[in-house]
Amino acid sequence: MWTGPPPERIVLVGFMGAGKTSVGRALAPLVGFRFLDLDERVEARTGRSVAGIFKEQGEAAFRVAEREAAQSIQSEPRLVVAAGGGAFAEAATREALSQGAVTVWLRCPLEVVLARLPADGRRPLLGSREIMRDLLARREESYGLADVAVDARAGSPAEVASRIADVLRGRGIGKGDRAAGR
Ligand code: S3P
């Protein structure tokens, strides 16, 4: 059961291809919050694309921009946030995302995310099956620090979103508190 004050943000974490953005868009109206994609916030703040930052400045620069974007939303209430796949694996970014928020891991096996991810050049870290397997294995412990884990391997984004809303209600988050709309 959720014991703290009602969370101001619901933050979706998990690997690339888990469906954080599409599920987040579907979840926002269910809880009466606005949707925000953390990568889009990075792009708006830096004036560059995520792929461009990786290419021109490297991953370390992206992680700094990502952390600052995560810190920038700490004062913004009533948000459903889709975090990038590496955000929760960075301690300071995880800390910023977790404060005042309930964090939800969209859990999805490697084979499912591999089948979903388009090779459109928009994900600089997308690599071979072995690279992705190792990256997922390295990150799973961090994802496991989320408050809630939801199986995201099957079902439409709307179905997964409705499952999340149910799980949150079951934990006392949702109807009757701020997450249901004040
Ligand atoms: C990344 C995932 C991407 C994006 C960036 C880095 C990662 O977000 O933040 O390319 O480290 O896994 P998605 O998880 O939305 O693809």
Side-chain angles (χ1 to χ4, degrees), residues 15-16 20 39 50 54 62-63 66 83-86 122-125 139:
F15 206 55
M16 292 173 253
K20 301 175 296 286
D39 280 341
V50 168
F54 268 81
F62 172 74
R63 296 298 168 204
E66 182 177 55
R122 296 181 65 177
R123 287 183 171 88
L125 292 181
R139 287 178 174 175

Side-chain angles (χ1 to χ4, degrees), residues 76-181:
E76 297 180 31
R78 299 169 66 80
L79 289 182
V80 171
V81 180
F88 219 59
E90 301 285 319
T93 307
R94 182 169 67 242
E95 163 112 26
L97 291 173
S98 300
Q99 267 179 30
V102 58
T103 52
V104 181
W105 175 19
L106 300 198
R107 201 170 183 170
C108 210
L110 181 67
E111 299 311 329
V112 174
V113 299
L114 289 180
R116 282 185 192 164
L117 288 169
D120 58 7
R122 296 181 65 177
R123 287 183 171 88
L125 292 181
L126 188 56
S128 70
R129 189 183 179 286
E130 287 63 41
I131 289 174
M132 301 299 273
R133 185 197 58 207
D134 292 352
L135 192 56
L136 177 58
R138 275 208 305 280
R139 287 178 174 175
E140 274 189 321
E141 194 181 336
S142 305
Y143 296 151
L145 297 171
D147 299 306
V148 175
V150 171
D151 186 344
R153 93 183 76 178
S156 66
E159 284 162 355
V160 178
S162 124
R163 252 189 343 258
I164 294 172
D166 286 348
V167 171
L168 294 181
R169 266 196 298 277
R171 302 253 178 146
I173 304 165
K175 263 197 167 51
D177 74 23
R178 295 161 90 176

